[in-house]
Amino acid sequence: MPADLSSRDPDWWRQAVVYQVYPRSFADADGDGLGDLKGVTRRLTHLAALGVDALWLSPFYPSELADGGYDVADYRDVDPRLGSLDDFDALAVEAHRLGLKVIVDLVPNHTSHQHVWFQEALAAGPGSAARDRYVFRDGRGTHGELPPTDWQSVFGGSAWQRVPDGQWYLHLFAPQQPDLNWANDEIRADFRTTLRFWADRGVDGFRVDVAHALAKDLDEPLRDLGAPALSAEAALSEFPPGTHPFFDRDDVHEIYRDWRTILDAYRPPRMAVAEAWVPGARRALYAHPDGLGQAFNFEYLQTGWDADELRQVITDSLATAQAVGASATWVLSNHDVVRHASRLMLPPGTDDNAWLLSGGHAPAVDEAAGLRRARAATLLMLALPGSSYLYQGEELGLPEVADLPVEVLQDPIWEQTGRVRKGRDGCRVPLPWATTGPSYGFGAGGAWLPQPESFARYAVEAQDGTDGSTLEFYRTALRVRRKLQEGESLTWADGGPPGVLDFSRHDGWRCVTNLSQAAVPLPPGEVLLSSAPLADGRLGPDTTVWVG
């Protein structure tokens, strides 16, 4: 087992730049078309050269890939297709040698239906201790033929699946992802073991998947959400805060207070960040120092390219984090959303799914204009106080692959919604490392999702060392940020042109973003970095500049 090589700075995460690696799409070392841990290890020098502080590994655990690895069959092992525990240890050692922290994904709301516990539950039958690890209930109707409640899956359709003996089990996501019963002490004890297992292997932190769903009101009779049945997200606003039957309940924080005692027992303490799709005021509860300590700020990701809206979200997000002593988080892309080089160019009110179903043609997105806006958005994000989370490939300026043919889609959302929601495959297409080859350098063979020919011009090989490339822009931005980033506050400048965001940071350096359609005068001072070329002392549309 590797020694604990993590940083001795307990607060490294507060201002960190974290790079999300989706292992199956990052790099393929064995040529089978699926990314793996050895592939990640071989490409860690790319992250070190980029200048990030940490990598977050999306799930690499044994899984049948019913939901891209978020259906976990064993929380303390590696999927054989992706490697072994020895490969993970080698990855962690090399990352730490390069000065990179390692964060792993934890998926505590549900297991895979292939998990040994769920197989035991199916065999044991109704009323058994094995079934109490999950949420099994009798159905309604004369013969139990109706689901126990009207609860809907996030992926579409009923959140209940019937088993041969007539009972139903809860799955808030895919049917292959049965929800755990967190009122069961055995579940809590096992996840304590899992936290220690990875922390003992030198892991520096945890990203907690669906952190807001663990606690559920399972008292009989179970409560319906109302007719017509509402989706989980829509129903959240229909209940007083903390009282929804299965999302964002107040009692979920008891679990994270328990986890914090474990994480704080290490030196330095292990960090954690919550994926909690909840309103800002509720998000602060997950970011509390006695809980996970940090939570993703999805309001920022969901805000359009509008100066007034962004200013309000930034202000509110900073206040929310500071109220509990946490640092803010910022993210523009991840494995669940349309890449921001495409998303930010969609007209306000455009339905992302409708755009994906059109193959990216209605409306068509100008890739050059999208890249310009994405670079401006990135430089704005990197100037904000707190942690920035980057998604693999955004440093290359990758757009969404919106025209994937339906026969190659892997995301369960496509089938579970009756083929009306295209899903998230378009942001998970394997990365291009080279300008040629069967998978543009991803591996010796092909890739598990087809890459478009346009990926050749986005490849690392095409951008490395090229002046003005997006890759070199990211490298410069992270290098300059490291020198400038200090403190966790900003001061807004008022009275400027409409459509312009202007704020100052520590020692008075400024970030100015022009979201309007007209060029505006540059502020006085030395230009430290610009997201696009400047001309005649003016800041063009869709451009961000840092001024010292």
Side-chain angles (χ1 to χ4, degrees):
M1 186 175 297
D4 180 2
L5 300 176
S6 59
S7 166
R8 294 295 148 184
D9 176 9
D11 293 326
W12 65 266
W13 51 272
R14 295 187 69 93
Q15 301 284 339
V17 176
V18 180
Y19 184 103
Q20 181 188 359
V21 170
Y22 191 74
R24 291 165 177 82
S25 296
F26 191 69
D28 172 20
D30 61 13
D32 66 353
L34 195 66
D36 45 46
L37 294 187
K38 285 184 177 179
V40 176
T41 303
R42 292 178 185 179
R43 295 292 188 179
L44 286 176
T45 52
H46 172 74
L47 303 190
L50 189 62
V52 302
D53 299 293
L55 67 148
W56 147 31
L57 286 167
S58 290
F60 49 83
Y61 312 109
S63 170
E64 67 172 336
L65 305 183
D67 181 23
Y70 284 88
D71 47 315
V72 178
D74 186 340
Y75 290 93
R76 299 191 285 274
D77 204 351
V78 174
D79 191 306
R81 291 166 293 182
L82 274 67
S84 65
L85 283 172
D86 287 343
D87 293 329
F88 177 85
D89 291 342
L91 187 159
V93 167
E94 177 64 3
H96 288 143
R97 187 189 71 81
L98 293 169
L100 300 167
K101 316 299 188 300
V102 179
I103 299 168
V104 299
D105 228 311
L106 195 63
V107 189
N109 179 67
H110 45 261
T111 72
S112 166
H113 67 158
Q114 294 183 336
H115 194 287
V116 62
W117 278 353
F118 192 72
Q119 293 302 308
E120 289 176 1
L122 293 179
S128 63
R131 287 210 173 177
D132 189 58
R133 296 180 183 131
Y134 294 89
V135 183
F136 278 86
R137 291 292 186 274
D138 293 329
R140 296 187 293 192
T142 305
H143 304 289
E145 71 277 9
L146 300 176
T149 69
D150 64 0
W151 298 354
Q152 297 292 291
S153 162
V154 174
F155 288 168
S158 174
W160 296 95
Q161 181 78 14
R162 202 175 192 188
V163 299
D165 60 36
Q167 279 204 312
W168 299 71
Y169 68 86
L170 178 68
H171 61 90
L172 291 181
F173 294 87
Q176 299 90 341
Q177 295 169 292
D179 278 47
L180 289 165
N181 172 20
W182 273 86
N184 185 306
D185 288 338
E186 189 177 0
I187 302 302
R188 300 192 178 212
D190 195 74
F191 272 88
R192 294 186 194 106
T193 300
T194 295
L195 287 170
R196 294 188 180 101
F197 178 87
W198 293 109
D200 287 345
R201 301 189 92 88
V203 162
D204 302 282
F206 299 87
R207 179 264 189 187
V208 182
D209 184 66
V210 198
H212 57 303
L214 276 57
K216 298 174 176 68
D217 178 7
L218 300 177
D219 290 340
E220 297 290 351
L222 298 181
R223 293 180 286 164
D224 279 341
L225 296 182
L230 297 171
S231 70
E233 290 89 346
L236 190 58
S237 62
E238 299 296 316
F239 289 82
T243 68
H244 187 277
F246 53 82
F247 266 174
D248 190 35
R249 294 184 56 77
D250 287 337
D251 43 344
V252 76
H253 300 291
E254 174 193 349
I255 298 168
Y256 301 133
R257 285 191 292 272
D258 178 50
W259 287 12
R260 178 44 58 190
T261 63
I262 296 171
L263 301 177
D264 281 352
Y266 288 86
R267 291 293 176 268
R270 300 320 194 226
M271 63 80 70
V273 57
E275 182 207 28
W277 291 86
V278 298
R282 298 290 299 177
R283 185 174 67 246
L285 301 175
Y286 297 85
H288 196 279
D290 291 338
L292 294 175
Q294 198 173 55
F296 282 126
N297 168 14
F298 293 119
E299 284 98 335
Y300 184 73
L301 183 152
Q302 294 171 320
T303 302
W305 194 240
D306 179 272
D308 292 338
E309 292 179 11
L310 280 169
R311 175 167 173 165
Q312 189 62 56
V313 165
I314 291 168
T315 300
D316 292 346
S317 299
L318 288 172
T320 296
Q322 291 166 357
V324 293
S327 64
T329 65
W330 314 102
V331 59
L332 287 166
S333 286
N334 63 36
H335 65 293
D336 282 333
V337 299
V338 172
R339 286 186 177 274
H340 70 277
S342 299
R343 187 185 71 250
L344 290 176
M345 289 305 298
L346 296 177
T350 301
D351 179 77
D352 288 1
N353 183 59
W355 179 73
L356 290 172
L357 288 173
S358 78
H361 301 301
V365 171
D366 182 332
E367 285 193 5
L371 181 56
R372 180 184 178 97
R373 185 169 288 183
R375 287 169 55 135
T378 294
L379 201 57
L380 166 62
M381 178 182 74
L382 292 174
L384 296 171
S387 297
S388 292
Y389 285 77
L390 311 180
Y391 179 52
Q392 64 178 43
E394 69 171 82
E395 77 278 16
L396 306 178
L398 289 184
E400 184 81 0
V401 183
D403 59 353
L404 286 172
V406 296
E407 60 268 19
V408 306
L409 298 182
Q410 304 285 322
D411 193 339
I413 288 176
W414 174 242
E415 294 294 345
Q416 201 163 324
T417 60
R419 300 191 171 192
V420 298
R421 285 172 56 195
K422 196 169 185 181
R424 302 157 294 177
D425 291 306
C427 66
R428 301 177 180 184
V429 175
L431 296 190
W433 295 92
T435 57
T436 58
S439 61
Y440 299 106
F442 170 67
W448 67 280
L449 283 173
Q451 302 152 300
E453 292 182 1
S454 62
F455 265 31
R457 67 174 181 267
Y458 291 101
V460 173
E461 181 183 44
Q463 299 194 46
D464 186 25
T466 301
D467 288 343
S469 71
T470 300
L471 175 58
E472 293 300 337
F473 163 70
Y474 266 73
R475 288 172 174 170
T476 302
L478 294 183
R479 183 173 64 252
V480 175
R481 179 188 186 272
R482 191 178 296 274
K483 297 176 182 178
L484 295 175
Q485 191 81 329
E486 188 172 336
E488 296 185 11
S489 62
L490 59 75
T491 302
W492 292 106
D494 293 314
V500 174
L501 285 177
D502 184 350
F503 60 83
S504 60
R505 292 291 314 282
H506 176 76
D507 284 345
W509 70 275
R510 291 170 68 181
C511 175
V512 184
T513 302
N514 183 7
L515 296 90
S516 75
Q517 299 300 308
V520 298
L522 277 173
E526 176 190 359
V527 173
L528 304 175
L529 186 61
S530 176
S531 64
L534 305 174
D536 303 321
R538 298 179 71 78
L539 184 66
D542 294 338
T543 304
T544 296
V545 66
W546 292 354
V547 177

